[in-house]
Amino acid sequence: ITITSYINSLIAKEFKKTSNKVALSGIAGDELFLGYYSHYLYWLLENQKDKNFKKLKSDWFQITGSHVENPLIKDLDNFLENPSKNHLFNDITFFSFFIKKDSPISNFEDQNLSKSPLRNRMMNDLFSDVVPLVLYQEDLNYMKNSIENRCPFLDSKLTNFAYSIPNKLLVKNGYTKSILREIGKKYLPEEVNFDSRKRGFNASILSLFNINKKENLEFCLDKSKIFEFMNKEKVEELLTKKNFKSNSFSKFLFSFISTKIFLENF
C-alpha cells in the first residue's frame, strides 16, 4: 500500500539471510505515547486554558513543530479553531484531476472512543486508522520470509498502562513521547533520544526510482490498464515536470507505479 511496506519487505528479505528468526517492531509506540505531529496538535488543543499555554505553543514551534512541512499542520491557529483530519488529504483536490471519472472521496469518521479529543485520535490510530494496516503489511512481509514479527508495544498490560498516563505528561518541553525519552536516557545517545524530528520508516520514491531516466518514464507512460482510470496526458505532463520534491508528489508516484503493476498482473 505504501513505500514503507515496500522498504520493509526488502529488510525482511535481508533478515532471512541471517541466523535470526524473530524481529522486534516498534509498532504502536506512537499511538500509545503520543508520537505524531497531529497528536501534538490535539494535545495543545486540550491545554488551551493552561496558564502557560503561550510557552506550550512556543515549545511546539521551536522544537517539534519546527520540522513540520504539511501546511495544514503548520497552521496551528486554524487547527485550534477547527480540529480535523484534513492534513491527511493534503493536495487531494489537485490529484483528483488525474482521475477520468468522478471518484467519491471516502469520509473517514473517527469512532467515538474517548471524551478526550487527544485520546480519541490516538485510539482511532491504534484500533483502526494506522496500527491494524501496518501490522497486516508487516506480518505479510515477514511471514513470506519465514521470520516471526513481534510487537512489544502491543502488550495488553503496557497498553492499559499507557492509557492511564495523564495527558499532560505525554509532551515535555516541546518533545513528543516524553515517557519513552525518559527511559531512553539510560540507553540511547542524547542526539538520538532527543531528536525532535518525527522520522517515520519512510523514503522518497526517487531514492528507488529515477524518473529522469528515459526507460523509467517510458515504463510509466506505456500502454496500461491504469489509463482506463487516469488521464494519460495529465499524468505525462506531471511526470515530465519532474516536480517531486513534496511528500504528496512522492506518494502519488509510488501509488501510481504500484497500482500500474498490480493492474497489469491482475
Side-chain angles (χ1 to χ4, degrees), residues 70-261:
N70 189 324
L72 298 179
I73 295 181
K74 290 178 71 172
D75 193 347
L76 175 59
D77 291 335
N78 180 61
F79 177 86
L80 295 178
E81 291 179 10
N82 181 34
S84 71
K85 294 197 293 183
N86 289 341
H87 63 279
L88 297 175
F89 310 104
N90 192 28
D91 293 326
I92 194 170
T93 302
F94 173 79
F95 289 111
S96 67
F97 289 112
F98 294 82
I99 308 297
K100 282 187 175 180
K101 298 179 181 179
D102 291 337
S103 277
I105 298 174
S106 298
N107 184 19
F108 296 101
E109 295 290 338
D110 280 348
Q111 300 179 61
N112 188 17
L113 302 174
S114 173
K115 293 181 180 179
S116 160
L118 168 61
R119 291 294 187 174
N120 199 62
R121 176 87 297 277
M122 292 170 66
M123 292 174 76
N124 271 270
D125 284 342
L126 178 64
F127 291 116
S128 59
D129 291 1
V130 180
V131 171
L133 305 178
V134 177
L135 189 62
Y136 171 73
Q137 293 176 60
E138 276 205 7
D139 280 348
L140 288 178
N141 282 330
Y142 283 93
M143 289 174 67
K144 181 179 180 180
N145 290 280
S146 303
I147 302 296
E148 291 290 336
N149 186 46
R150 292 291 177 258
C151 307
F153 282 116
L154 288 176
D155 177 83
S156 60
K157 291 182 180 179
L158 178 61
T159 300
N160 289 332
F161 168 74
Y163 277 87
S164 73
I165 299 171
N167 291 1
K168 185 75 174 180
L169 302 180
L170 297 175
V171 173
K172 183 178 180 181
N173 298 328
Y175 289 91
T176 59
K177 292 189 284 193
S178 61
I179 304 297
L180 295 185
R181 294 183 196 274
E182 285 296 318
I183 298 171
K185 287 180 181 179
K186 300 179 181 179
Y187 308 103
L188 299 172
E190 184 174 350
E191 61 270 21
V192 173
N193 194 45
F194 286 97
D195 183 355
S196 59
R197 182 186 292 275
K198 172 62 180 158
R199 299 184 186 277
F201 192 60
N202 204 354
S204 168
I205 181 62
L206 298 183
S207 65
L208 301 171
F209 186 87
N210 186 352
I211 192 63
N212 294 317
K213 283 189 175 182
K214 182 181 178 181
E215 58 267 33
N216 287 349
L217 183 61
E218 289 176 347
F219 163 77
C220 289
L221 299 174
D222 63 10
K223 186 177 180 181
S224 172
K225 292 181 180 179
I226 196 171
F227 293 119
E228 295 176 15
F229 307 96
M230 303 194 73
N231 187 304
K232 183 175 181 178
E233 289 72 26
K234 290 182 179 179
V235 171
E236 182 175 5
E237 181 183 0
L238 176 69
L239 297 184
T240 52
K241 282 183 178 179
K242 303 176 181 60
N243 183 18
F244 284 92
K245 293 183 179 180
S246 77
N247 192 37
S248 294
F249 282 87
S250 179
K251 287 180 178 179
F252 169 81
L253 182 57
F254 178 81
S255 297
F256 173 82
I257 293 172
S258 58
T259 304
K260 179 179 184 293
I261 294 172

